[in-house]
Amino acid sequence: MIKTTLKIDGMMCGMCEAHINDVIRKVVPDAQKVKSSHTKGESTFISQQAPDENKIIAALAETGYTVQSVNTEPYTKKFLGLF
């Protein structure tokens, strides 16, 4: 699993967050846990494979948002130890 963090310029409100989440889900069909924050100016999601950064950047640019950076890193689930 891969965790992707996008720094995005142009988000102003909760509707912007929802719009960006929809775009990410369309461009990355296996995206899970898609979350955006206009206050932080970032979106995060988890996918099986590293996403095509250029597709995401182009899709968000078409809707008026500017991707400033894309960071991908391995994702491991955090389990709560039950003893």
Side-chain angles (χ1 to χ4, degrees), residues 6-23:
L6 308 169
K7 291 290 184 181
I8 301 173
D9 187 37
M11 280 193 284
M12 302 295 177
C13 63
M15 287 304 294
C16 294
E17 295 170 1
H19 195 210
I20 286 174
N21 292 347
D22 289 343
V23 171

Side-chain angles (χ1 to χ4, degrees), residues 13-50:
C13 63
M15 287 304 294
C16 294
E17 295 170 1
H19 195 210
I20 286 174
N21 292 347
D22 289 343
V23 171
I24 290 171
R25 287 186 185 104
K26 285 180 186 173
V27 176
V28 186
D30 70 335
Q32 302 171 2
K33 297 186 179 184
V34 181
K35 296 178 189 170
S36 296
S37 169
H38 70 278
T39 55
K40 292 181 183 177
E42 70 179 26
S43 294
T44 60
F45 63 92
I46 298 165
S47 57
Q48 292 292 328
Q49 303 293 325

Side-chain angles (χ1 to χ4, degrees), residues 45-81:
F45 63 92
I46 298 165
S47 57
Q48 292 292 328
Q49 303 293 325
D52 184 339
E53 295 178 14
N54 293 327
K55 278 187 179 179
I56 296 171
I57 292 168
L60 289 171
E62 285 179 18
T63 58
Y65 302 100
T66 304
V67 176
Q68 297 172 328
S69 68
V70 179
N71 181 36
T72 57
E73 60 186 324
Y75 174 79
T76 53
K77 261 187 179 174
K78 295 175 182 150
F79 292 101
L80 294 176

